[in-house]
Amino acid sequence: MQHPTLSTSDIAPEDDLQSITTRAKATTDISHIHDFLGARTSDKWLAVAKENLPLLMLDHANCEKKAAGTAMNLIFRYEFHRELQERLAQLVREEMLHYEQVITLMKERGIEWSHLPAGRYAKGLLKHKRTWEPAAMVDVLIIGAFIEARSCERFSALADVIDDEKLARYYKYLLKSESRHYEDYLRLAESITDECIDERVAFFREVEAELIDSPDGELRFHSGVPDWV
């Protein structure tokens, strides 16, 4: 049986990669992202990142794929929660579209796919996840919110400094969906518990900021300050 392939006609015009990367840079207000996070990306990280875009693009592709996989795992694990099913189904579609787009951008630049070990970031957050339900689910969703918010903040910061104009436009395009994803994760965390989540959000804000602000021996999309500069 021959399976249909995705064609450009199947992609909404606003998500078409050629259109995204040739039109003027989109403007998205992410001041609420800066308010939510506990730290801004350092100039040292940006200076190293702009000189290592092939590595970052590979890690970005991995991040999109992992984000889709995490959302799918939550869909299967918590299939009794209708709102979670609906919101995460949309998120899976968007993350896989972004994965496909990043792969295309890598191919255009002659960047080969290779294995890239994960950095410390996600593990550094997840090691603080509580082990009982629904607290574990609340923490996973809050962590998801911080990962999406940090992605948004870094896309914006990178778009302002890299020399690759096409990639900069693409990063600007991603801001709208990434900022919505972080808000979706927070709303879902609030919806599955009767307890106020503010304390856990504040806790993970400190943990996440420490991972971003402290020295890091690897460069990844969510890594800390490079310890070799």
Side-chain angles (χ1 to χ4, degrees):
M1 177 179 178
Q2 187 174 7
H3 295 280
T5 56
L6 186 68
S7 69
T8 54
S9 62
D10 298 314
I11 299 174
E14 64 270 19
D15 293 324
D16 175 70
L17 187 57
Q18 181 63 23
S19 174
I20 293 163
T21 54
T22 55
R23 65 191 181 212
K25 287 186 190 178
T27 56
T28 301
D29 179 13
I30 66 163
S31 58
H32 61 298
I33 295 287
H34 292 141
D35 292 340
F36 177 69
L37 294 171
R40 297 276 192 105
T41 291
S42 70
D43 290 339
K44 284 186 177 181
W45 187 92
L46 285 171
V48 173
K50 68 182 292 188
E51 300 302 324
N52 291 273
L53 286 178
L55 183 148
L56 278 190
M57 291 182 73
L58 178 56
D59 192 49
H60 177 193
N62 280 332
C63 289
E64 298 289 1
K65 182 169 56 175
K66 289 174 184 176
T70 297
M72 282 298 298
N73 287 337
L74 290 172
I75 286 173
F76 280 108
R77 185 169 182 178
Y78 301 106
E79 58 185 2
F80 57 85
H81 194 293
R82 179 171 178 174
E83 183 183 3
L84 182 144
Q85 301 286 307
E86 293 171 349
R87 291 191 180 275
L88 293 187
Q90 179 185 8
L91 188 145
V92 169
R93 289 199 308 274
E94 291 181 343
E95 302 289 17
M96 290 310 296
L97 172 62
H98 298 163
Y99 174 65
E100 182 182 9
Q101 290 169 340
V102 177
I103 292 296
T104 299
L105 290 166
M106 288 173 58
K107 186 176 181 180
E108 290 176 358
R109 287 154 181 75
I111 301 171
E112 296 291 334
W113 184 269
S114 61
H115 174 68
L116 185 66
R120 67 181 188 180
Y121 181 78
K123 289 182 181 178
L125 291 168
L126 286 168
K127 73 178 184 180
H128 297 286
K129 176 178 71 70
R130 293 170 292 182
T131 57
W132 62 95
E133 297 293 359
M137 185 179 176
V138 169
D139 284 354
V140 167
L141 293 170
I142 292 173
I143 290 169
F146 275 101
I147 293 173
E148 297 290 342
R150 180 58 61 188
S151 297
C152 185
E153 188 262 353
R154 289 216 153 153
F155 287 134
S156 180
L158 279 169
D160 290 337
V161 300
I162 61 176
D163 297 325
D164 188 325
E165 186 66 23
K166 187 173 184 178
L167 189 59
R169 288 194 179 101
Y170 180 65
Y171 286 162
K172 289 289 187 180
Y173 151 81
L174 290 175
L175 299 184
K176 185 176 180 180
S177 59
E178 299 299 318
S179 63
R180 187 180 69 253
H181 292 170
Y182 115 82
E183 292 172 333
D184 284 346
Y185 271 121
L186 279 185
R187 279 195 292 266
L188 287 171
E190 290 173 334
S191 73
I192 64 168
T193 180
D194 294 329
E195 297 181 4
C196 177
I197 68 170
D198 290 352
E199 185 176 335
R200 292 303 288 174
V201 170
F203 170 77
F204 280 109
R205 180 177 292 114
E206 291 184 5
V207 173
E208 200 271 347
E210 171 63 21
L211 289 166
I212 292 300
D213 269 348
S214 60
D216 198 331
E218 295 179 306
L219 177 66
R220 295 292 187 272
F221 209 92
H222 297 87
S223 57
V225 182
D227 64 5
W228 60 93
V229 293

